[in-house]
């Protein structure tokens, strides 16, 4: 009987809820005993094992057998994000209280589109957005919304800014009429090492990749300001129309931080909008030691904040903050079945008017839960620790002739190579993977590089020392 119940007020339902979630917690707890990041299974073997599980049996096999399948076939080959040997991507272990919050979110299954689908959820999201505006230096004129991730936050920001820019500068209502006939002249400026969501956004907005201008970087992997200004002024003189500049606050590979003050000055000169893609760097705001590296983010017209990177919350959890709440006009549309204007006049806030999504998760609860529990000081410790780890590793390799470095770390990533060429470095990454140590690989100045993305606060200097010696061993082989 238990298998047929949705979560409800009946005693059988509640007891099935408790035992079923207990089973899952036990499976995860068992998996946690394994400290390595990955089983190292061959992809073809894993594909076969998974294919054998089938799709939709005529008769279900029941909860016990399904749980057993999850435990025996799926759990062992999950990537164990909690392992300190996992460091290839901006992909973090999750704070325990935010995992518990996920269970709460799924259980109530609130939706954020209208007040009547999540009264407390709507009010809590609004309250967290207000707090976030203050945290990043915006005033009450600002607004924000939780999104599915940095890519959606970035896309939403660019969509809002294009809408605002065309309306303000040309009196053109793009929401109603689509792009203006001079759309091929519109340009979005961003670092040559910025996230590819800039290109995707330009494409989805009908501008195409051609509208994205890549600005060259300096020795610290930040936008070269002199070049940026020269390129943008030159483009204006050639008849092109800059509508937005994107400052990356923590590039995906290097964690490098574009100079927001200088880019604001250029944006003002060009009469365009400025977005801060702080998907990675936003967490550093919590650090008393390193927070000022971000610069004054409130100079930007919008900020992308990811909570599933430095903030260590389960995927997905992100927010877009805007300096001027009118920016969200791009997403406002009323439907008789959902967000009636008369309700909004009576205080029933319908958040769908700020969002690309309609049905939307109550991710704000994860942020509330961990912020409330740990406070700013708790996050300061976590985030200062991971940035400190990157500095420590960099200090080991910086003067070591076996290593080639890129730019010094600004956040928690270090991009480096072993002296010995591309093939050696590729081999090192594959060899470590087979030992359950997962590190990143990228390209810098045409060379294959290795990358440590250190988001896990459980990593300590003694393990960093071990990894450093392990790497050095390769140069002696
Ligand atoms: C990760 C990242 C993104 C994309 O964020 P998702 O949450 O993965 O969609 C965008 N910009 C930067 C700089 C990032 O590091």
């Amino acid at each position: 009987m238990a298998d047929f119940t949705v979560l409800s007020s009946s005693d059988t339902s509640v007891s099935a809820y408790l035992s079923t979630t207990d089973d899952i917690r036990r499976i995860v707890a068992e998996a946690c005993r394994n400290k390595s990041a990955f089983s190292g299974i061959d992809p073809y073997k894993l594909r076969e094992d998974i294919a054998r599980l089938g799709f939709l049996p005529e008769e279900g096999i029941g909860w016990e057998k399904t749980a057993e399948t999850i435990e025996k076939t799926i759990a062992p080959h999950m990537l164990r994000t909690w392992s300190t040997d996992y460091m290839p991507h901006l992909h973090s272990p999750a704070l325990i209280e935010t995992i518990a919050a996920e269970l709460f979110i799924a259980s109530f299954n609130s939706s954020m589109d209208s007040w009547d689908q999540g009264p407390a959820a709507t009010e809590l999201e609004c309250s967290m957005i207000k707090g976030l505006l203050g945290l990043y230096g915006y005033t009450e004129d600002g607004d924000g919304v939780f999104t599915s991730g940095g890519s959606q936050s970035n896309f939403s920001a660019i969509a809002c800014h294009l809408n605002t820019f065309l309306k303000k500068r040309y009196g053109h209502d793009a929401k109603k009429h689509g792009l203006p006939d001079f759309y091929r002249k519109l340009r979005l400026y961003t670092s040559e090492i910025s996230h590819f969501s800039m290109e995707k956004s330009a494409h989805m907005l009908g501008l195409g990749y051609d509208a994205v201008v890549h600005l060259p970087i300096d020795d610290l992997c930040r936008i070269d300001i002199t070049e940026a200004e020269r390129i943008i002024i030159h483009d204006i003189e050639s008849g092109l129309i800059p509508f937005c500049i994107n400052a990356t606050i923590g590039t995906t590979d290097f964690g490098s931080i574009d100079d927001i003050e200088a880019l604001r000055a250029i944006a003002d000169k060009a009469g365009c909008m400025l977005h801060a893609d702080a998907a990675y760097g936003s967490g550093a705001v919590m650090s008393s030691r390193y927070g000022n590296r971000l610069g004054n983010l409130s100079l930007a017209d919008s900020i992308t904040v990811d909570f599933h990177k430095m903030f260590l919350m389960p995927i997905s959890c992100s927010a877009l903050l805007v300096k001027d709440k009118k920016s969200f006009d791009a997403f406002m549309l009323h439907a008789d079945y959902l967000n009636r204007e008369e309700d909004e006049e009576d205080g029933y806030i319908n958040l769908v008017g700020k969002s690309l999504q309609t049905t939307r998760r109550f991710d704000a609860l994860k942020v509330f839960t961990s912020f409330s529990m740990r406070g700013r000081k708790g996050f300061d410790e976590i985030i200062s620790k991971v940035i400190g780890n990157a500095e420590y590793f960099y200090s080991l390799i910086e003067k070591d002739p076996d290593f080639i470095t890129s730019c010094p770390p600004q956040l928690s990533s270090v991009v480096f190579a072993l002296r010995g060429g591309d093939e050696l470095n590729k081999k090192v990454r594959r060899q470590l993977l087979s030992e359950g140590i997962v590190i990143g690989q990228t390209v810098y100045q045409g060379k294959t590089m290795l990358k440590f993305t250190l988001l896990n606060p459980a990593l300590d200097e003694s393990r960093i020392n071990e990894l450093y010696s392990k790497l050095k061993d390769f140069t002696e082989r």
Side-chain angles (χ1 to χ4, degrees):
M1 189 55 202
D3 290 354
F4 292 96
T5 46
V6 293
L7 181 56
S8 77
S9 55
S10 83
D11 289 346
T12 41
S13 159
V14 171
S15 83
Y17 174 71
L18 292 175
S19 70
T20 309
T21 50
D22 266 357
D23 288 340
I24 286 291
R25 288 191 309 131
R26 186 185 45 74
I27 291 168
V28 175
E30 202 55 45
C32 282
R33 291 171 193 272
N34 193 329
K35 283 190 193 156
S36 78
F38 182 51
S39 66
I41 190 173
D42 172 83
Y44 294 104
K45 167 81 171 72
L46 182 57
R47 202 162 304 151
E48 262 170 38
D49 292 352
I50 298 281
R52 219 168 289 129
L53 301 181
F55 169 58
L56 176 68
E58 194 55 35
E59 302 262 349
I61 59 174
W63 168 248
E64 270 82 26
K65 285 212 175 95
T66 303
E68 198 181 305
T69 308
I70 294 173
E71 181 170 13
K72 298 255 159 66
T73 313
I74 300 175
H77 307 299
M78 292 296 285
L79 192 285
R80 292 177 282 272
T81 45
W82 52 77
S83 168
T84 53
D85 286 345
Y86 180 65
M87 53 184 86
H89 305 291
L90 288 165
H91 182 194
S92 74
L95 297 169
I96 292 168
E97 72 278 13
T98 59
I99 300 172
E102 281 284 3
L103 182 60
F104 185 97
I105 292 166
S107 304
F108 280 96
N109 203 26
S110 294
S111 182
M112 307 307 301
D113 32 341
S114 61
W115 201 92
D116 63 1
Q117 298 179 80
T122 298
E123 297 298 339
L124 187 74
E125 174 165 323
C126 291
S127 154
M128 294 312 288
I129 289 291
K130 227 184 221 168
L132 289 168
L133 291 173
L135 185 62
Y136 290 96
Y138 282 158
T139 68
E140 300 218 325
D141 293 337
D143 200 353
V145 68
F146 279 78
T147 74
S148 65
S151 303
Q152 191 191 143
S153 294
N154 284 344
F155 174 80
S156 303
I158 306 301
C160 289
H161 293 334
L162 181 61
N163 188 59
T164 306
F165 176 85
L166 290 172
K167 196 173 262 172
K168 272 202 182 150
R169 173 80 77 86
Y170 297 98
H172 177 84
D173 185 354
K175 208 161 94 171
K176 204 163 167 198
H177 305 298
L179 292 172
D181 50 14
F182 55 86
Y183 76 93
R184 283 178 194 280
K185 294 187 175 166
L186 292 164
R187 290 293 179 274
L188 165 64
Y189 297 82
T190 189
S191 155
E192 60 178 307
I193 54 168
S194 64
H195 192 261
F196 67 5
S197 48
M198 289 299 137
E199 278 80 2
K200 288 191 185 180
S201 301
H203 160 51
M204 289 184 291
L205 289 166
L207 301 175
Y209 296 170
D210 286 350
V212 181
V213 179
H214 290 123
L215 301 170
I217 52 173
D218 64 14
D219 293 347
L220 293 176
C221 296
R222 307 171 304 187
I223 288 176
D224 181 326
I225 295 300
T226 317
E227 276 298 289
E229 181 154 12
R230 191 189 62 72
I231 290 168
I232 294 173
I233 300 290
H234 176 266
D235 280 359
I236 295 173
E237 287 167 0
S238 333
L240 297 174
I241 306 168
F243 76 93
C244 188
I245 300 175
N246 172 52
T248 308
I249 307 300
T251 54
T252 309
D253 268 342
F254 303 92
S256 49
I257 297 169
D258 290 339
D259 182 343
I260 195 91
E261 283 85 0
L263 292 173
R264 178 76 261 176
I266 298 177
D268 286 345
K269 231 183 237 183
C272 71
M273 313 296 293
L274 177 67
H275 174 61
D277 176 4
Y280 179 8
S282 47
V285 77
M286 294 296 198
S287 169
S288 48
R289 267 176 77 189
Y290 304 108
N292 58 7
R293 289 185 179 177
L294 300 180
N296 180 3
L297 295 189
S298 71
L299 293 174
D301 295 302
S302 52
I303 310 170
T304 288
V305 178
D306 261 11
F307 294 101
H308 55 220
K309 289 180 174 171
M310 290 195 103
F311 283 105
L312 310 181
M313 299 189 197
I315 296 164
S316 62
C317 197
S318 176
L320 169 65
L321 306 176
V322 295
K323 187 190 294 198
D324 179 355
K325 53 170 76 109
K326 290 199 278 300
S327 299
F328 285 131
D329 171 63
F331 293 125
M332 178 47 80
L333 193 59
H334 286 281
D336 294 336
Y337 52 83
L338 188 61
N339 54 340
R340 292 153 295 262
E341 280 175 272
E342 78 244 26
D343 287 351
E344 284 164 19
E345 279 155 18
D346 292 333
Y348 296 97
I349 306 163
N350 297 318
L351 295 181
V352 71
K354 298 193 276 184
S355 172
L356 188 61
Q357 291 164 275
T358 305
T359 304
R360 189 163 59 84
R361 293 166 46 83
F362 179 28
D363 288 321
L365 183 72
K366 294 182 283 195
V367 181
F368 169 77
T369 306
S370 57
F371 277 23
S372 160
M373 172 176 155
R374 292 169 195 273
R376 160 108 68 160
K377 281 199 179 139
F379 274 98
D380 185 358
E381 268 174 43
I382 289 172
I383 285 167
S384 297
K385 171 94 182 285
V386 297
I387 300 177
N389 277 342
E391 296 212 317
Y392 177 69
F393 178 62
Y394 186 78
S395 75
L396 296 178
I397 62 170
E398 186 187 14
K399 294 188 192 76
D400 186 329
D402 288 341
F403 289 82
I404 300 166
T405 54
S406 62
C407 49
Q410 292 296 295
L411 295 171
S412 61
S413 300
V414 187
V415 175
F416 63 96
L418 284 166
R419 222 169 268 285
D422 290 359
E423 289 316 307
L424 172 71
N425 284 287
K426 287 179 189 170
K427 198 184 94 183
V428 168
R429 192 186 68 87
R430 282 289 178 89
Q431 176 62 35
L432 292 177
L433 182 64
S434 72
E435 295 173 29
I437 301 172
V438 193
I439 71 170
Q441 179 180 321
T442 187
V443 172
Y444 174 66
Q445 295 181 343
K447 287 198 187 73
T448 297
M449 305 291 282
L450 302 173
K451 177 170 73 158
F452 281 10
T453 313
L454 306 178
L455 294 180
N456 192 335
L459 181 69
D460 56 19
E461 292 190 356
S462 73
R463 182 62 184 154
I464 296 174
N465 291 338
E466 285 170 16
L467 291 165
Y468 168 66
S469 327
K470 226 178 204 328
L471 287 166
K472 273 182 81 70
D473 284 349
F474 281 96
T475 62
E476 276 142 35
R477 283 178 197 176

